[in-house]
Amino acid sequence: MKHLTFNVCAITGLGFSGLAVLLLLANLLSGNQFVDVILPAAVVSLVIGGAFSVRARLLSAKGHGPAKR
């Protein structure tokens, strides 16, 4: 298995967090019609996005983050 780089972790975390926001907006626009499905999916998406963001932060703290100019 490949090691995940800082950029991969950061972009993946941002993507999953953005997906959660889109799911919550879809829930709002549908008038809470699909709340039983959308809300758990949004929570899972936020948890996965948070885990990737923490991993990116740990990689950055170890010195494997983006190069400083």
Side-chain angles (χ1 to χ4, degrees):
M1 182 175 161
K2 257 177 139 176
H3 292 288
L4 297 174
T5 64
F6 170 80
N7 287 337
V8 170
C9 288
I11 291 171
T12 305
L14 181 65
F16 274 107
S17 297
L19 175 64
V21 170
L22 288 176
L23 286 171
L24 292 174
L25 283 173
N27 183 44
L28 176 69
L29 293 175
S30 70
N32 291 333
Q33 191 174 9
F34 304 107
V35 71
D36 294 337
V37 176
I38 291 179
L39 192 60
V43 169
V44 168
S45 181
L46 277 176
V47 168
I48 293 171
F52 274 106
S53 296
V54 167
R55 178 70 179 147
R57 176 70 179 122
L58 292 175
L59 286 171
S60 177
K62 286 183 181 179
H64 298 291
K68 295 181 180 165
R69 294 179 183 181

